[in-house]
Amino acid sequence: MKRSNMGYALVLIAALMWGTIGIFVNGISALGVSSQSMAAFRLLSGAVLMAPVLVFMGCQGGAREGKASGPMALFKASPKELVPCALVGIVGLAVANTCYYECMGEVGMSTASVLLYTSPVFGVMLGRVLYREGVTPNKLVAIIFNIVGCVLAVTSGDLSGFHFSTWGVASGVIAGLCGALLAVFSRMATKTLHPLAVTFWGFVFGGCFMAVLSAPWSDVAAAMSPQLILLFAGFGFIPTALAYIFYMQGLSMDLETSKVPVVASFETVATVLVGIGIYAESAGAIKVLGIVLVLASILIMNTDFSKLRNSVFVGHVAESMTFKPNAWWTEKTQDMDLFKERTGIALEPTVQESPWYFVR
């Protein structure tokens, strides 16, 4: 498998894990913890769970070339290397979450979800400006499919719950932009640091930033229980530490910035499937259509149509589509007449010999 294809597959796995966020959010919310406190503890618990992984990998020689191995090897980073990690945590994680929560409070969850899916548009723009990535027709088609598919999958086609407010829309668009910037800053950070180290430091910076904003300590202390500890452990492990390990590892494989948000939108499909499978939410035809469009957008975004057009398979398909049975039958008849003329033997074709016998 090509290195880039493996990278997109890892991003897809990360998106699948992000789709389980709702399970933990519902459980923690039921215990009385606010959304911003939840976000802060999610990142901080992710950092705590990542720490022993970095120690183990450092002892196994998991550091980059030119750096010594040891328990603290993957934790070591220069101030210059920590800058993109800080941007990952503060902009890509903390600000994105904060703006998304603000948007939900202003215009409701449905409108906020739709505004968040502007991320692929920003991804294409940033990829073009920063990395000179081409804006191809299949990328534009994929983005349209992706946005429409996400909207249908989340709303089931019911747009009556949409609300408008200037700050609500602005915060939603900012959240979408930060989601696209996450891919940019992560790509920058993994150039010099191990993906695990980028994930850890991103959680540290993002978690501290969210903790300063939300001051979650009293909120969480009031709801403290063994159940809450287990939920935070699962929240910090599956859709946080493990998911971002896959995501950062995928981004380190030279992926196109413009493609990453579209592939990561598989989270929407996973979220909808979790809602249907676990919470018995309805699965109408419009929601299914939305899921199909999201999957189609990922396929279109990662298909090289120029190579596909020149492939042997497409050549055979094109040949079969341009096949003219009457001309084929005329040519075969002429061959049989020529054979009879030269040998004196008459050939009589049967239905089995001619699949086009009834249409000649």
Side-chain angles (χ1 to χ4, degrees):
M1 182 183 289
K2 287 175 58 179
R3 177 179 169 85
S4 60
N5 290 342
M6 176 62 75
Y8 291 122
L10 292 175
V11 172
L12 199 67
I13 294 172
L16 179 62
M17 292 181 177
W18 288 330
T20 65
I21 287 176
I23 300 173
F24 300 101
V25 168
N26 288 339
I28 296 172
S29 296
L31 296 175
V33 179
S34 68
S35 297
Q36 292 198 355
S37 298
M38 200 184 309
F41 266 88
R42 175 196 176 190
L43 296 178
L44 292 174
S45 60
V48 170
L49 291 170
M50 284 292 300
V53 177
L54 264 69
V55 171
F56 176 78
M57 290 296 295
C59 292
Q60 298 298 314
R64 295 275 183 169
E65 291 184 8
K67 293 187 177 181
S69 61
M72 302 303 295
L74 292 182
F75 292 94
K76 295 176 181 178
S78 66
K80 184 178 179 180
E81 291 173 326
L82 286 176
V83 170
C85 294
L87 292 173
V88 166
I90 295 173
V91 178
L93 298 176
V95 174
N97 276 286
T98 302
C99 288
Y100 185 54
Y101 296 144
E102 284 290 317
C103 184
M104 282 194 294
E106 289 285 324
V107 296
M109 183 173 292
S110 296
T111 308
S113 298
V114 172
L115 291 170
L116 186 64
Y117 301 133
T118 56
S119 183
V121 178
F122 289 118
V124 169
M125 293 168 59
L126 291 170
R128 178 62 180 171
V129 172
L130 298 177
Y131 302 107
R132 296 293 185 267
E133 296 173 0
V135 183
T136 58
N138 60 310
K139 284 186 180 181
L140 298 177
V141 172
I143 288 174
I144 294 172
F145 274 40
N146 190 265
I147 294 174
V148 173
C150 288
V151 171
L152 294 179
V154 171
T155 66
S156 296
D158 183 8
L159 306 181
S160 60
F162 274 39
H163 304 285
F164 178 83
S165 108
T166 303
W167 170 237
V169 171
S171 58
V173 172
I174 293 171
L177 173 60
C178 290
L181 286 172
L182 174 62
V184 174
F185 297 141
S186 299
R187 181 173 172 177
M188 292 167 54
T190 53
K191 292 290 184 183
T192 55
L193 285 178
H194 194 284
L196 293 177
V198 174
T199 305
F200 171 79
W201 286 115
F203 288 161
V204 170
F205 284 112
C208 291
F209 185 84
M210 288 295 297
V212 170
L213 285 182
S214 60
W217 319 112
S218 58
D219 192 15
V220 173
M224 184 56 65
S225 67
Q227 184 182 359
L228 182 65
I229 294 173
L230 288 175
L231 284 170
F232 267 126
F235 199 19
F237 179 64
I238 298 174
T240 307
L242 196 57
Y244 278 100
I245 287 173
F246 282 111
Y247 182 75
M248 295 298 178
Q249 188 66 45
L251 289 178
S252 69
M253 296 182 177
D254 302 322
L255 306 189
E256 289 189 41
T257 302
S258 56
K259 293 183 178 182
V260 172
V262 172
V263 177
S265 69
F266 185 73
E267 176 189 355
T268 304
V269 175
T271 301
V272 171
L273 293 178
V274 166
I276 294 171
I278 296 181
Y279 299 107
E281 295 178 357
S282 61
I286 295 179
K287 186 173 288 189
V288 172
L289 174 61
I291 292 173
V292 171
L293 288 175
V294 172
L295 296 177
S297 72
I298 296 173
L299 180 63
I300 293 169
M301 181 65 88
N302 292 284
T303 300
D304 189 337
F305 288 96
S306 61
K307 290 183 179 179
L308 186 62
R309 281 195 299 269
N310 298 324
S311 66
V312 175
F313 173 75
V314 172
H316 287 320
V317 172
E319 183 180 352
S320 67
M321 293 178 67
T322 57
F323 180 73
K324 298 179 180 179
N326 290 335
W328 175 84
W329 183 261
T330 300
E331 183 180 351
K332 184 171 182 179
T333 302
Q334 290 173 349
D335 290 341
M336 289 189 294
D337 290 342
L338 181 61
F339 181 81
K340 180 180 179 181
E341 180 182 336
R342 292 180 177 178
T343 64
I345 301 174
L347 297 177
E348 294 295 334
T350 63
V351 172
Q352 287 77 14
E353 291 174 325
S354 174
W356 300 99
Y357 182 81
F358 294 105
V359 296
R360 63 189 175 89

